[in-house]
Amino acid sequence: MNLYLRYFDRETLVSSVDEAIDFLSAIEEVGMNPVLEADIREYAASDVFYPKRYKVRPRVYFIIIKTEAQSMQDFKEKKAVHVGTPPMTKPAAPALVRLNEIRPGWYEGMIDFKRVLMVPGTGKFQYRDTQFIANVKAESGMDCYNRIVEHLRERVDDRSQFPSAKGKNFKFRYLGQAK
């Protein structure tokens, strides 16, 4: 396994981690240190084949890519692309499946949204992270989300921003049916 390294227009293809560390040590901006060296060694020893990006300073990175290529030309022509296990079709995430599952009853919904509030001292408006939790009678998780957002839209500033029901800022759990 070889390593391809690039920092702006400087690039190399090396056959060992020590060569990679020597290459990076020659670049002053990278600032090679024991922590970075240990992380590069760990990446090279791992079974991970995706490229690794290291931050040098804001918006400036160098990358390391594992490759089977024996020369820079082979790497550039993508002759030694790593062929892993064929990608399996990814099953739908359980939360997304549960979101549309029809199950009438009571739900506890929790939504984190950006609420527009006026700052009393200045009269200006700002966004505040706000959490809202409610027990809602609904047909599904998606219905629970829609009812909560509908309720909030009537009571908060129109400029408030609500997250997607599929995102991490909306959670729900089924409480059961009313008796």
Side-chain angles (χ1 to χ4, degrees):
M1 182 64 50
N2 292 326
L3 298 170
Y4 169 79
L5 293 96
R6 186 178 76 220
Y7 178 72
F8 287 105
D9 61 342
R10 299 178 192 174
E11 62 183 1
T12 187
L13 185 70
V14 297
S15 58
S16 73
V17 180
D18 292 325
E19 290 177 50
I21 291 169
D22 290 342
F23 171 76
L24 293 170
S25 296
I27 303 172
E28 281 185 35
E29 296 96 13
V30 170
M32 183 56 72
N33 60 47
V35 174
L36 180 59
E37 181 178 339
D39 195 56
I40 292 170
R41 288 184 188 282
E42 183 179 320
Y43 169 72
S46 71
D47 293 334
V48 175
F49 279 92
Y50 59 83
K52 181 101 180 203
R53 178 171 87 156
Y54 291 92
K55 190 173 194 173
V56 174
R57 60 180 186 272
R59 295 187 302 271
V60 176
Y61 301 86
F62 71 86
I63 63 165
I64 300 177
I65 301 172
K66 289 183 180 179
T67 181
E68 304 282 334
Q70 297 302 314
S71 69
M72 187 66 81
Q73 184 176 355
D74 288 350
F75 178 78
K76 296 283 184 174
E77 293 174 1
K78 298 181 181 170
K79 289 184 179 176
V81 176
H82 175 73
V83 180
T85 58
M88 297 182 351
T89 56
K90 192 174 185 178
L96 294 180
V97 171
R98 290 183 329 152
L99 187 63
N100 293 316
E101 178 184 5
I102 303 297
R103 194 171 177 192
W106 285 93
Y107 288 83
E108 178 184 62
M110 181 179 74
I111 188 167
D112 294 324
F113 68 103
K114 302 277 186 191
R115 183 176 185 177
V116 173
L117 294 172
M118 185 175 73
V119 178
T122 63
K124 294 183 179 181
F125 292 89
Q126 70 179 16
Y127 286 101
R128 288 260 173 98
D129 290 331
T130 307
Q131 185 176 72
F132 182 79
I133 301 172
N135 290 340
V136 179
K137 190 169 187 180
E139 298 292 315
S140 66
M142 189 65 179
D143 188 33
C144 172
Y145 170 82
N146 290 334
R147 288 175 187 243
I148 289 173
V149 170
E150 182 181 317
H151 173 80
L152 289 171
R153 284 195 196 276
E154 295 173 2
R155 289 163 177 79
V156 297
D157 192 294
D158 290 337
R159 296 170 288 185
S160 297
Q161 299 173 354
F162 298 99
S164 166
K166 299 175 185 174
K168 65 180 181 179
N169 290 325
F170 173 68
K171 295 179 181 73
F172 69 94
R173 70 183 175 115
Y174 182 69
L175 299 174
Q177 292 197 356
K179 296 193 178 194

